[in-house]
Amino acid sequence: MKRLLIIAHAPSDNTQKMYQAVISGASDSRIENVEVVSLSPLETQPEHINSAHAIILGTTENLGYMAGLMKDVFDRCYYPCLEKNEGLPFAFYVRAGHDGTGTRRAIEGITTGMRWRLVQDPLICKGDFQAAFLDQCEELGMSMAASLEAGII
């Protein structure tokens, strides 16, 4: 059984719906050999990351950067995880009020330092909230879990 870890900062009703959509997609009944573990940033510990076979990160864009709680995950887990999961496949989504550029750059910079492997284009959900964001998040979760199960990532 492979483990897909979903770590998301979801402070609002809409971001909570996005988070649940990712979980729902990853937990699709057709995907049988993937355990989905979902945690808030505050719950996430280095052992969760080190035991994952793939990760999906979700964050809001705050002042042109990732949410502080998501940055806290990296601050606490960087060294305990460094060199223990090089090549770890990951994807991420951003709920961006603006364009998500700074958030994307920050996540890509930190994960490059950790030597993780981005396996899908980042999902940047920008502007006013749209119902389509939920479908996109569900697709992201399903794609990651199905790819992990199939050994593609």
Side-chain angles (χ1 to χ4, degrees):
M1 181 78 70
K2 295 181 179 175
R3 182 173 295 124
L4 174 61
L5 176 60
I6 303 168
I7 306 168
H9 177 61
S12 69
D13 287 342
N14 286 337
T15 54
Q16 193 60 231
K17 288 176 188 174
M18 292 171 69
Y19 181 35
Q20 292 303 318
V22 172
I23 294 167
S24 176
S27 302
D28 187 279
S29 63
R30 295 170 288 184
I31 303 167
E32 299 175 351
N33 296 308
V34 174
E35 174 190 16
V36 177
V37 176
S38 58
L39 299 170
S40 72
L42 286 175
E43 296 172 307
T44 304
Q45 298 300 317
E47 58 268 17
H48 297 120
I49 294 171
N50 287 332
S51 67
H53 296 97
I55 294 181
I56 299 174
L57 304 170
T59 187
T60 52
E61 174 187 58
N62 292 5
L63 303 171
Y65 196 74
M66 74 180 89
L69 288 176
M70 186 59 68
K71 175 65 168 65
D72 178 68
V73 170
F74 289 119
D75 289 344
R76 288 183 294 104
C77 298
Y78 186 86
Y79 288 108
C81 294
L82 191 63
E83 298 180 2
K84 292 186 178 149
N85 49 38
E86 290 184 20
L88 182 68
F90 83 102
F92 67 93
Y93 67 96
V94 177
R95 175 62 188 110
H98 298 296
D99 67 2
T101 303
T103 306
R104 178 181 181 161
R105 188 174 321 131
I107 291 171
E108 289 176 344
I110 292 169
T111 55
T112 296
M114 296 181 82
R115 295 183 182 99
W116 289 4
R117 182 171 46 99
L118 185 62
V119 295
Q120 292 190 25
D121 286 337
L123 173 58
I124 311 294
C125 301
K126 55 187 167 184
D128 293 335
F129 186 82
Q130 302 169 34
F133 294 166
L134 302 179
D135 293 333
Q136 293 167 341
C137 286
E138 187 171 359
E139 287 175 26
L140 173 65
M142 186 182 300
S143 174
M144 284 292 288
S147 297
L148 183 58
E149 181 180 53
I152 297 170
I153 59 171

